[in-house]
Amino acid sequence: MSTPPSPGGTDALFGVVQTALTIGSAIPLLLSVVALVLYVRTRRRLASESARARRSDDHTRRLHDLARVSLLGSAFGLVLLLIGQLVVALGTTVGPAAAFAGPLAPVTIGAAVLTALAAGAFATSPAPPAPPVPPRR
């Protein structure tokens, strides 16, 4: 004789999926924070140096890459958090309002703010110089 599965088991399964996605979002978010801190420190250091050093192609490329890594990491972490909350909202009896107002709401808001800051850093980062054009044959 088998008993029907309880609804709590399904909710627990979706909770495990959300937990896995939340833990998976921690590394991209931490990487984004580190890249954003390095971006700010590098930009301040270059602002205090002479104008000649500021225009270096290497420094420009490094600033642009740090801003890009920060934006990609924060956006990826935010998407993972949102997918985890959608899984719980659509797969359980909790509902969308309770899933997005749950205990992960501050983390999601923080990830959204971090993504906005990283997008601002990427928008204000100097564009790297174009690669040289190869000669025609």
Side-chain angles (χ1 to χ4, degrees):
M1 228 172 157
S2 68
T3 59
S6 68
T10 305
D11 290 351
L13 176 65
F14 286 115
V16 168
V17 170
Q18 182 186 25
T19 302
L21 288 169
T22 302
I23 292 170
S25 72
I27 291 176
L29 290 173
L30 287 175
L31 177 69
S32 175
V33 168
V34 169
L36 194 61
V37 167
L38 288 174
Y39 172 82
V40 169
R41 290 183 68 192
T42 304
R43 190 156 181 141
R44 283 187 182 169
R45 184 176 46 106
L46 290 177
S48 66
E49 291 179 0
S50 68
R52 187 188 88 246
R54 255 191 309 203
R55 293 191 180 117
S56 169
D57 291 347
D58 186 41
H59 293 301
T60 303
R61 189 170 289 113
R62 184 176 300 133
L63 273 176
H64 192 71
D65 288 345
L66 284 171
R68 183 179 344 167
V69 166
S70 180
L71 179 60
L72 289 174
S74 64
F76 186 67
L78 178 62
V79 166
L80 286 177
L81 286 171
L82 291 175
I83 289 173
Q85 288 181 340
L86 276 174
V87 164
V88 169
L90 300 176
T92 64
T93 58
V94 172
F100 284 99
L104 287 178
V107 177
T108 305
I109 293 169
V113 169
L114 180 62
T115 303
L117 288 173
F122 184 70
T124 60
S125 69
V133 178
R136 290 186 176 197
R137 291 184 185 193

